[in-house]
Amino acid sequence: MTPDALPARLTLDGRALVENWRLLARLSGPAACGAAVKADGYGLGARDVVARLAAAGCRDFFVATWGEAEALGQLPDGAVLSVLHGVREADMALALAGPHRPVLNSAAQVARWKAAGGGACDVMVDTGMNRLGLTPEEAVSGLLDGLAIETLMSHLACADEPAHPLNARQRAAFAALGERVPARRTSLANSAGIFLAADYACDLTRPGLALYGGRPAPGAEGLAQVARIEAQVLQVRTADAGTPVGYGATWTAERPTRIAILNIGYADGYLRGFSSRGHALAGGVRCPVAGRVSMDLLAVAVPDTVGERDWLEIAYALPEAAEQSGLSQYELLTGLGRRYGRGWS
Ligand SMILES: *Cc1c(COP(=O)(O)O)cnc(C)c1O
């Protein structure tokens, strides 16, 4: 089936993706700028994202698991991949077969990698988030002796809140570690970290969200929308004044209202948080969502110009859509379903 045969489509803007990466690379100053492509490139398609960013000069890519690494297949020339969750016993065969690097997160993972005679690796240290990583004490205990560490990294818990005191505490703890742990490079900043201050960039930055058009922190401007959603009108009806629309009859027409029923719903990742809050666009005219989002259908109030079989854009600029729906920008991307006809522009 061709993408156009499907009644909802996801159009991905390859130029916007590359321009976002270029902006982040500039803001990273002398540091290299990588790309987090876990969760299938935040839902957009990791293979396509890697191909486009590698062609633009990005070298360092990050996925969460070895399954994701395997799904990427052969990487473009010069691209290298780190696997953030490190190595469980069950991952060792894939990890040792190369060419990707595990990010070692615990003493057990370090021991496993050393015992197997594994090659170059990355190491994650937890500097205050209490998520993944060695403690700073473990990192300087001699545990890492003998490892060929390419990148020493840590992850910021509150980079999206520039004034949060944990940011500077993590930066200082990480800088102290960088002096004591022999690694070729250091890396601390995710998307939001790049916008904090120049000294968070270290040698390598690891943006994800901002590449895909998310606004990672309040002051972060200049990032372009990458994913656009359109859905086709299945039926148009008029709701009489005083009559309700949709499940639960939560929305009532104040006057006779043209309602277009679109072929998209929460099974496509357009979640119920958009009920009576989101909107579609018909040639620039805002068409508010009327009532609850169904699994496969959505009702929007439309002007007379909209008819059956027309395509409407669903407003999905991430910062605004997150505000409307109460979902995070990350959830908005990674939750997009599999029913779209997908294509890159
Ligand atoms: C997901 C992830 C990133 C990217 O984070 P964004 O907030 O999407 O920029 C960077 N580093 C690590 C360790 C991650 O897990």
Side-chain angles (χ1 to χ4, degrees):
M1 197 160 23
T2 64
D4 277 354
L6 298 168
R9 56 191 181 212
L10 186 62
T11 308
L12 305 166
D13 186 337
R15 187 192 303 234
L17 175 77
V18 166
E19 284 309 316
N20 289 344
W21 179 77
R22 292 204 169 114
L23 172 63
L24 295 161
R26 278 198 301 280
L27 292 170
S28 297
C33 182
V37 296
K38 59 199 187 188
D40 198 22
Y42 288 44
L44 305 190
R47 262 181 200 249
D48 291 323
V49 169
V50 169
R52 283 174 165 75
L53 293 183
C58 181
R59 290 287 165 265
D60 301 274
F61 295 91
F62 301 87
V63 291
T65 67
W66 292 92
E68 291 181 345
E70 206 176 20
L72 269 179
Q74 174 92 39
L75 295 181
D77 278 350
V80 294
L81 187 67
S82 295
V83 180
L84 290 164
H85 292 188
V87 276
R88 302 166 308 151
E89 196 56 53
D91 299 319
M92 286 301 285
L94 264 180
L96 289 169
H100 312 313
R101 287 197 304 270
V103 181
L104 303 178
N105 290 292
S106 67
Q109 290 195 352
V110 170
R112 194 173 288 131
W113 193 244
K114 276 191 184 175
C121 61
D122 297 337
V123 169
M124 173 70 76
V125 183
D126 190 295
T127 52
M129 185 177 187
N130 272 317
R131 198 176 66 167
L132 268 186
L134 298 172
T135 65
E137 296 72 32
E138 285 173 320
V140 298
S141 67
L143 182 77
L144 300 175
D145 292 354
L147 283 179
I149 305 174
E150 169 67 22
T151 309
L152 179 72
M153 53 180 98
S154 189
H155 193 57
L156 296 164
C158 304
D160 57 335
E161 296 173 58
H164 200 292
L166 188 52
N167 293 320
R169 283 214 300 277
Q170 288 196 267
R171 179 183 51 184
F174 188 60
L177 282 169
E179 316 240 306
R180 297 185 58 186
V181 177
R184 205 175 71 79
R185 299 191 295 183
T186 56
S187 175
L188 177 63
N190 61 346
S191 300
I194 292 171
F195 289 88
L196 278 178
D199 54 353
Y200 286 82
C202 301
D203 299 318
L204 168 67
T205 58
R206 310 185 303 266
L209 181 72
L211 292 170
Y212 310 111
R215 184 187 297 149
E221 298 301 332
L223 296 156
Q225 186 173 353
V226 176
R228 286 181 193 277
I229 298 175
E230 290 165 291
Q232 200 173 20
V233 177
L234 284 175
Q235 188 178 14
V236 178
R237 62 192 321 109
T238 299
D240 293 332
T243 63
V245 172
Y247 279 125
T250 60
W251 187 94
T252 301
E254 286 174 7
R255 63 190 77 86
T257 306
R258 260 171 87 77
I259 299 287
I261 307 300
L262 299 176
N263 201 109
I264 187 172
Y266 58 78
D268 303 295
Y270 194 70
L271 298 186
R272 294 220 321 194
F274 288 103
S275 298
S276 296
R277 301 182 66 100
H279 64 275
L281 292 160
V285 178
R286 224 176 138 105
C287 306
V289 172
R292 280 196 197 150
V293 180
S294 297
M295 183 185 293
D296 319 297
L297 296 169
L298 178 71
V300 296
V302 293
D304 289 344
T305 49
V306 172
E308 281 166 26
R309 297 198 305 278
D310 284 357
W311 287 84
L312 299 192
E313 177 166 358
I314 308 291
Y316 215 67
L318 294 172
E320 293 77 22
E323 211 152 279
Q324 281 177 347
S325 64
L327 298 161
S328 78
Q329 298 175 77
Y330 298 84
E331 293 168 305
L332 291 177
L333 285 173
T334 58
L336 290 169
R338 291 186 298 267
R339 293 196 294 198
Y340 295 99
R342 285 169 174 252
W344 288 82
S345 67

